[in-house]
Amino acid sequence: MKHKIFAANWKMYKTPQQTQEFFKKFLSYDLKGDIFFFPPALCLSSALDETKNSNIQIGIQNIYTKAEGAFTGENSARTAQEMGCSTVLVGHSERRTLFHESEILSEKLQYAQSLGLKVVFCVGETLEQRENNQTEKILTEQLQSGLRKAQAQNLIVAYEPVWAIGTGKTATSQQAEEAHRFISQWLEKNNFQNVPILYGGSVKPENAPELISQPHISGFLVGGASLDPESFKKICSV
Ligand code: 13P
């Protein structure tokens, strides 16, 4: 039986009040598997309060590479950990594209792991790169660069093809499985054993069952469909 992981990336959606309302409903469901939520930083307190008597893990969407200092606007991983966060998201394509993050990702990852935090590290190619047959090359570069200071323990990788994020255009289960198999082989070759690989990109209750049946897909990183308790519950029930 596969050990499944379901993660919700809320991006910059929901207020503290909406966070409370979401969890009041979501916690009434009886769900198995590891479930993570990445709410906006300003909703972490609400999410942590609401989920404190549950098995749900709360993570932060972005951290800086230092515990503290003159870094206006940044989030400290140490502070997030003290609040009760267990996990950090690193390398999301929106951080790579909108905030031009690349070299800094391995430092963020290393710093989070040095505190004992788990990291969900995201990789994925653009449509242009896929059409130019560069998917494996891009995945290799992102893994090599982002994981150069990483440990296998407390690491989860998420494959999120950029062209499938928020577009309603999911990778077919075959496309996803091929990329997951490639990532899995790369991880094993580079001494990262037993690292779960999540799929992300327009995951919905309708396509989740077929995707999860693929051998190298351990779970999902869900954006839009995680904002509604009922629809995320269905995804977590596959
Ligand atoms: P969507 O599920 O909205 O496509 O977002 C995926 C994602 O970016 C999760 O991190």
Side-chain angles (χ1 to χ4, degrees):
M1 188 60 181
K2 193 186 277 192
H3 180 86
K4 297 173 191 158
I5 299 173
F6 304 101
N9 175 12
W10 282 357
K11 310 192 179 186
M12 206 177 73
Y13 291 99
K14 291 199 190 291
T15 64
Q17 195 183 326
Q18 290 167 338
T19 301
Q20 281 176 359
E21 287 161 7
F22 178 97
F23 282 115
K24 294 259 177 304
K25 183 137 192 220
F26 191 76
L27 291 172
S28 70
Y29 307 134
D30 180 25
L31 294 168
K32 305 207 170 47
D34 284 354
I35 303 180
F36 293 79
F37 280 86
F38 295 89
L42 294 174
C43 296
L44 282 173
S45 289
S46 308
L48 287 159
D49 270 0
E50 292 300 316
T51 57
K52 63 175 178 276
N53 297 318
S54 76
N55 292 330
I56 287 172
Q57 299 196 47
I58 301 294
I60 184 163
Q61 291 176 16
N62 181 40
I63 53 151
Y64 193 55
T65 55
K66 303 277 190 302
E68 61 182 3
F71 306 109
T72 303
E74 289 298 295
N75 293 317
S76 162
R78 196 179 69 182
T79 306
Q81 187 176 39
E82 190 183 298
M83 287 170 75
C85 290
S86 67
T87 313
V88 175
L89 207 55
V90 176
H92 193 279
S93 77
E94 287 146 23
R95 299 293 319 172
R96 292 177 189 266
T97 312
L98 300 171
F99 303 99
H100 312 291
E101 292 188 357
S102 60
E103 286 304 303
I104 200 170
L105 297 176
S106 65
E107 284 168 50
K108 289 188 175 194
L109 196 158
Q110 183 191 31
Y111 178 56
Q113 284 196 329
S114 76
L115 297 177
L117 289 162
K118 296 188 192 88
V119 173
V120 177
F121 177 66
C122 308
V123 294
E125 80 288 357
T126 63
L127 185 59
E128 194 185 356
Q129 289 162 341
R130 174 163 281 266
E131 285 174 350
N132 289 329
N133 290 323
Q134 290 180 315
T135 301
E136 293 188 354
K137 174 176 167 280
I138 296 298
L139 294 178
T140 303
E141 282 169 9
Q142 291 177 345
L143 291 164
Q144 247 161 13
S145 162
L147 299 185
R148 63 179 187 261
K149 297 172 182 167
Q151 300 162 9
Q153 205 196 354
N154 284 340
L155 179 66
I156 298 171
V157 170
Y159 169 62
E160 297 205 303
V162 179
W163 48 273
I165 296 178
T167 58
K169 208 174 161 189
T170 330
T172 63
S173 51
Q174 192 191 336
Q175 285 171 322
E177 171 60 15
E178 267 170 28
H180 278 238
R181 194 181 327 109
F182 178 79
I183 292 168
S184 168
Q185 284 165 355
W186 187 93
L187 289 169
E188 275 172 29
K189 230 186 304 162
N190 288 276
N191 283 325
F192 294 99
Q193 311 299 341
N194 302 319
V195 174
I197 309 170
L198 312 183
Y199 170 78
S202 297
V203 176
K204 305 267 176 308
E206 298 74 38
N207 56 28
E210 193 181 331
L211 286 160
I212 201 73
S213 70
Q214 303 303 314
H216 293 89
I217 299 185
S218 313
F220 301 122
L221 180 57
V222 187
S226 72
L227 296 171
D228 173 63
E230 180 77 25
S231 105
F232 192 52
K233 177 206 59 171
K234 287 188 182 145
I235 293 171
C236 295
S237 308
V238 293

